[in-house]
Amino acid sequence: MGNDTKNIILTGDRPTGRLHLGHYVGSLKRRVELQNSGEYDDIYILIADDQALTDNADNPGKIRDNIVNVVLDYLSAGLDPNKITICVQSALPALHALTFYYMNLVTTARLSRNPTVKAEIQMRGFADEGLPAGFFAYPVSQAADITAFKANVVPVGEDQLPMLEQTREIVEKFNRIYGKTLVLPKAMIPENETQRRLPGVDGKAKMSKSLGNCIYLSDSAKTVKKQVNGKMFTDPTHLRIEDPGHIEGNVVFTYLDAFCNDRHFADYLPAYANLQEMKDHYCRGGLGDGVCKKFLIQVLEETLEPIRAERAKWENHIDDVYDILRDGTLRAREVTNETLSEVQQAMRIDYFNNRNIIKEWEKIIKEQHI
Ligand code: ATP
Ligand code: MG
């Protein structure tokens, strides 16, 4: 029981759309590095379709359609099904059972305090329309996901920190009441501050599928160009090239913070040795937004072009994509069922694993007659 020796990762995404640059810097890029590091015994990537239904109950078709998009994005970004397991949440019944038990270990007051859920409730208009109970409680189902795989490391963006905190509280409470059974996980967030929460092209707090402010990993070069040149928020006070510019809140520079390195300058913009020099010039005045955007597009294309090419290959083999997902899900089903058995045993609700309880019941009945 437990997992004191193994290094196991669980992370995942909601299949509410194609994956975007925020996913890439916040989690996906790190997953590929961890996969290739050889330091982990198991890496599980969960496509959280049940969680996606908590705020899309009226549109299950959207979730069904996007499962394939998310797997295609994984494979094209470099996740290798020979090294990791990709699986679908709804096909893992142990997760549902665990969620149900963990619900008893949290209070509604505690769930109400989750800042990410609070912000999402506002964003989705649930404050006015009424809040689905499933959405309110989705952090509990995330605790089920993480613990079912016995994950000790969870690589995520910053918005997920409250979920990890909630999971740790559930694990501690469970282990206190029922005996040490669950593994206490920790979050792994990007070191680069901008990568922890990449803003949208419109400058809004977070690039998010639900906000429509994304550059998708599968966008064509033409679309990327259009998003950067046409939509990206810069400095509204920087009207003429000579005017002094501002970096703060200027999305072009935020993205450069997240994506560019000194080598990019040598290759595409040798007038500067590094980003600081470029920023200094922009702030002094004399550097136009057009030059900055052109450079950003070149930098982004270095990440996006290989992903796009890889996706084009996989798109012709959807049957292989299906098999990868099915095989991964069957493997994940075994692992999560095993954890559920351990949990039920710890909770003493494992009535039908063996016939031992018959002896206990017989004893009780006998004593009742004394
Ligand atoms: P939705 O709007 O449906 O919630 P989303 O764009 O927020 O979609 P999720 O599937 O909820 O994407 O998030 C998956 C993972 O990607 C999480 O680990 C999350 O922290 C990370 N992530 C999502 N958006 C960003 C972002 N803008 N910057 C950094 N990480 C992000
Ligand atoms: Mg989200």
Side-chain angles (χ1 to χ4, degrees), residues 11-28 31 48 51-52 55-56 62 120 123-124 135 138 142 154-161 190 194-200 205-211 214:
T11 184
D13 304 276
R14 295 153 40 93
T16 48
R18 292 173 292 147
L19 299 186
H20 53 63
L21 286 178
H23 298 117
Y24 185 76
V25 291
S27 181
L28 199 47
R31 293 179 203 173
Q51 191 194 113
D55 57 332
N56 289 282
K62 172 172 135 189
E120 289 175 340
M123 199 175 99
R124 286 159 173 72
F135 186 82
Y138 87 73
Q142 280 190 221
V154 186
V156 283
E158 195 179 55
D159 62 313
Q160 295 301 307
L161 289 179
T194 319
Q195 296 184 350
R196 293 178 191 167
R197 186 186 292 259
L198 194 75
K206 180 176 157 323
M207 180 177 284
S208 172
K209 285 170 270 178
S210 307
L211 290 175
C214 304

Side-chain angles (χ1 to χ4, degrees), residues 162-225:
M163 314 307 169
L164 258 294
E165 207 37 55
Q166 179 73 81
T167 300
R168 290 171 63 86
E169 286 173 28
I170 289 173
V171 167
E172 277 165 350
K173 191 156 184 188
F174 188 101
N175 288 347
R176 200 164 58 240
I177 300 176
Y178 303 112
K180 188 170 177 336
T181 311
L182 303 174
V183 177
L184 195 64
K186 59 175 189 298
M188 182 189 264
I189 61 170
E191 279 141 38
N192 177 317
E193 217 170 294
T194 319
Q195 296 184 350
R196 293 178 191 167
R197 186 186 292 259
L198 194 75
V201 288
D202 54 359
K204 290 236 174 76
K206 180 176 157 323
M207 180 177 284
S208 172
K209 285 170 270 178
S210 307
L211 290 175
N213 57 6
C214 304
I215 294 178
Y216 293 101
L217 298 179
S218 49
D219 276 343
S220 68
K222 200 170 144 206
T223 305
V224 174
K225 214 167 175 178

Side-chain angles (χ1 to χ4, degrees), residues 105-176:
L105 306 180
V106 298
T107 63
T108 54
R110 173 65 183 86
L111 287 173
S112 308
R113 285 200 300 273
N114 184 313
T116 299
V117 177
K118 261 193 203 164
E120 289 175 340
I121 287 170
Q122 286 305 326
M123 199 175 99
R124 286 159 173 72
F126 289 154
D128 309 320
E129 287 167 21
L131 174 62
F135 186 82
F136 179 62
Y138 87 73
V140 181
S141 90
Q142 280 190 221
D145 304 338
I146 294 166
T147 54
F149 289 95
K150 300 190 168 75
N152 57 340
V153 178
V154 186
V156 283
E158 195 179 55
D159 62 313
Q160 295 301 307
L161 289 179
M163 314 307 169
L164 258 294
E165 207 37 55
Q166 179 73 81
T167 300
R168 290 171 63 86
E169 286 173 28
I170 289 173
V171 167
E172 277 165 350
K173 191 156 184 188
F174 188 101
N175 288 347
R176 200 164 58 240

Side-chain angles (χ1 to χ4, degrees), residues 50-309:
D50 284 335
Q51 191 194 113
L53 283 169
T54 63
D55 57 332
N56 289 282
D58 55 350
N59 198 0
K62 172 172 135 189
I63 309 306
R64 186 178 167 95
D65 294 348
N66 278 303
I67 289 178
V68 68
N69 269 321
V70 171
V71 187
L72 282 169
D73 286 330
Y74 289 164
L75 297 171
S76 15
L79 288 179
D80 177 352
N82 294 312
K83 297 183 182 159
I84 54 144
T85 301
I86 304 174
C87 53
V88 179
Q89 189 179 34
S90 60
L92 304 174
L95 303 183
H96 305 147
L98 290 174
T99 303
F100 201 63
Y101 302 140
Y102 296 171
M103 291 270 205
N104 304 327
L105 306 180
V106 298
T107 63
T108 54
R110 173 65 183 86
L111 287 173
S112 308
R113 285 200 300 273
N114 184 313
T116 299
V117 177
K118 261 193 203 164
E120 289 175 340
I121 287 170
Q122 286 305 326
M123 199 175 99
R124 286 159 173 72
F126 289 154
D128 309 320
E129 287 167 21
L131 174 62
F135 186 82
F136 179 62
Y138 87 73
V140 181
S141 90
Q142 280 190 221
D145 304 338
I146 294 166
T147 54
F149 289 95
K150 300 190 168 75
N152 57 340
V153 178
V154 186
V156 283
E158 195 179 55
D159 62 313
Q160 295 301 307
L161 289 179
M163 314 307 169
L164 258 294
E165 207 37 55
Q166 179 73 81
T167 300
R168 290 171 63 86
E169 286 173 28
I170 289 173
V171 167
E172 277 165 350
K173 191 156 184 188
F174 188 101
N175 288 347
R176 200 164 58 240
I177 300 176
Y178 303 112
K180 188 170 177 336
T181 311
L182 303 174
V183 177
L184 195 64
K186 59 175 189 298
M188 182 189 264
I189 61 170
E191 279 141 38
N192 177 317
E193 217 170 294
T194 319
Q195 296 184 350
R196 293 178 191 167
R197 186 186 292 259
L198 194 75
V201 288
D202 54 359
K204 290 236 174 76
K206 180 176 157 323
M207 180 177 284
S208 172
K209 285 170 270 178
S210 307
L211 290 175
N213 57 6
C214 304
I215 294 178
Y216 293 101
L217 298 179
S218 49
D219 276 343
S220 68
K222 200 170 144 206
T223 305
V224 174
K225 214 167 175 178
K226 223 161 76 191
Q227 288 288 78
V228 175
N229 286 334
K231 290 220 186 123
M232 196 165 277
F233 187 80
T234 54
D235 171 9
T237 67
H238 186 238
L239 296 174
R240 291 165 309 160
I241 292 181
E242 316 80 75
D243 291 339
H246 299 86
I247 303 295
E248 180 91 12
N250 186 325
V251 183
V252 174
F253 283 97
T254 311
Y255 281 33
L256 287 175
D257 275 330
F259 285 93
C260 90
N261 57 43
D262 295 353
R263 205 255 313 139
H264 290 128
F265 284 95
D267 286 356
Y268 307 120
L269 202 58
Y272 311 102
N274 53 45
L275 186 54
Q276 195 52 52
E277 283 187 12
M278 183 184 179
K279 283 182 178 173
D280 290 344
H281 192 186
Y282 191 81
C283 292
R284 276 198 311 275
L287 174 58
D289 285 325
V291 173
C292 302
K293 286 185 167 181
K294 185 172 171 219
F295 176 57
L296 175 62
I297 291 168
Q298 286 167 317
V299 169
L300 292 180
E301 279 301 322
E302 273 201 18
T303 295
L304 292 173
E305 178 48 38
I307 295 178
R308 211 178 279 133

